[in-house]
Amino acid sequence: MTARLLDGKAIAAALIQEIRAEVDARITLGQRIPGLAVILLGHDPASSIYVHNKRLACEKSGVISISHDLPATTSQADLLALIDQLNEDPSVDGILVQAPLPAHIDDETVIERIRPDKDVDGFHPYNIGRLAVRKPTLRSCTPYGVMRLLETTGETLRGKHAVVVGASNHVGRPMLLELLLAGCTVTVCHSATRDLPAQVAQADIVVAAVGRPRMVKGEWIKAGAIVIDIGINRLEDGSLAGDVDFVTACERAAWISPVPGGVGPMTVATLLRNTLEAATRHD
Ligand code: NDP
């Protein structure tokens, strides 16, 4: 079997066009243009690329991007004060603080300071909790973007066995909740999981979010499975690789998302979708 490609780049571009049409419709109706504040601390090269892509997507979708590029030495108190100010600013619908943050800043304190209705990353415990009780509001961008990729396969998700490799707060755990909401039976694997290949071999849907290049091998994958690769790993030669061994996985999977060009663009498009949704709620 040769897997069909889940072309996240093309699907995300179509989503951005849809958002653009909705933003244009708002303008026609005399409504406010949605605004996204993007905060970047320091000059980490990967973070700078992610932030650049997010600002570019704002431009394409017509959402106003408000940039706050701060030095890496910014104190936590100053960052929290900026978040407080953006929380109160009616022209700002969404606030994004690009991770990773410098070591002197506590990620969770920052996430919890963002007002849940402006938490367009969908990381705040309130928004994760809403998803957990099947009443989603703003949904974590990467897992929600994955659900849209899965939709495009046209396959029924309900009843399928999904195996998520990775259990982080921002990726693996909300991914579990999204798949559960879609009616999948979900297994979540982490660093203490025994016999990972045997777990993956049971999956109709494999979602890899570990951060280890090509760790999930093609021979682990059940023939005909859908394989979603969330991992983004920079190799020594500067190229990018996912968490799945793409070449061998293509021989067994029915569908597979590539890296780059799979989940990454979906994450960005979902961020814009969330910003538009936040603006609609703020109306
Ligand atoms: P974290 O490092 O926060 O979490 C990694 C998870 O993998 C942990 O739950 C860890 O387990 C688990 N893990 C580590 N080693 C193993 C192992 N040998 N077997 C099974 N599980 C293991 O990473 P993130 O969740 O933040 O990110 C994961 C990947 O996704 C990264 O490559 C990141 O760059 C990428 N990413 C991509 C995005 C996109 O838009 N495409 C967005 C966000 C992230 P434990 O909990 O036990 O420590």
Side-chain angles (χ1 to χ4, degrees):
M1 174 176 294
T2 303
R4 293 169 73 181
L5 217 57
L6 284 163
D7 186 350
K9 200 172 168 189
I11 299 163
L15 275 174
I16 296 271
Q17 283 314 307
E18 275 174 29
I19 297 165
R20 169 106 226 176
E22 288 182 46
V23 171
D24 287 346
R26 285 179 65 90
I27 295 169
T28 308
L29 291 170
Q31 291 172 324
R32 202 169 43 76
I33 303 177
L36 173 65
V38 180
I39 305 175
L40 173 66
L41 267 71
H43 300 285
D44 174 65
S47 297
S48 300
I49 292 171
Y50 293 146
V51 163
H52 172 76
N53 289 342
K54 288 167 186 174
R55 287 174 179 156
L56 208 64
C58 280
E59 241 173 68
K60 287 185 186 157
S61 59
V63 167
I64 295 173
S65 159
I66 305 138
S67 299
H68 291 273
D69 292 346
L70 309 175
T73 50
T74 303
S75 70
Q76 178 162 309
D78 284 349
L79 177 59
L80 295 178
L82 173 61
I83 292 172
D84 288 345
Q85 182 195 317
L86 296 170
N87 277 339
E88 295 310 314
D89 183 341
S91 68
V92 172
D93 295 291
I95 303 170
L96 178 143
V97 183
Q98 182 63 46
L101 290 170
H104 65 278
I105 294 181
D106 178 56
D107 293 28
E108 297 309 318
T109 304
V110 169
I111 288 165
E112 292 192 28
R113 192 67 162 244
I114 296 170
R115 237 170 54 189
D117 59 292
K118 296 195 176 190
D119 166 44
V120 284
D121 256 336
F123 290 164
H124 194 288
Y126 173 83
N127 286 319
I128 301 274
R130 293 283 303 196
L131 182 61
V133 297
R134 292 177 277 188
K135 292 190 185 325
T137 37
L138 292 173
R139 298 158 80 152
S140 304
C141 296
T142 299
Y144 195 26
V146 166
M147 296 315 288
R148 282 161 182 248
L149 267 189
L150 287 173
E151 256 172 41
T152 64
T153 64
E155 299 233 12
T156 305
L157 301 183
R158 197 168 171 75
K160 282 200 167 40
H161 186 177
V163 173
V164 181
V165 188
S168 68
N169 283 355
H170 298 161
V171 187
R173 284 165 199 257
M175 191 71 250
L176 147 74
L177 296 171
E178 286 287 355
L179 289 161
L180 195 57
L181 189 64
C184 294
T185 301
V186 192
T187 302
V188 182
C189 303
H190 43 78
S191 61
T193 295
R194 293 186 194 146
D195 200 353
L196 185 64
Q199 298 289 346
V200 172
Q202 294 180 40
D204 304 311
I205 301 169
V206 181
V207 182
V210 189
R212 294 181 176 224
R214 300 177 185 140
M215 193 190 85
V216 176
K217 306 297 178 206
E219 60 263 31
W220 300 1
I221 290 162
K222 181 159 93 176
I226 305 173
V227 177
I228 303 286
D229 193 350
I230 295 182
I232 302 178
N233 306 287
R234 178 80 55 190
L235 303 181
E236 274 179 14
D237 66 3
S239 63
L240 292 180
D243 289 344
V244 175
D245 187 26
F246 184 79
V247 174
T248 57
C250 277
E251 290 167 13
R252 296 177 69 87
W255 293 90
I256 191 165
S257 69
V259 177
V263 175
M266 296 301 294
T267 299
V268 178
T270 308
L271 172 74
L272 274 301
R273 163 57 60 192
N274 278 351
T275 305
L276 178 60
E277 190 178 325
T280 310
R281 287 172 189 267
H282 290 146
D283 293 341

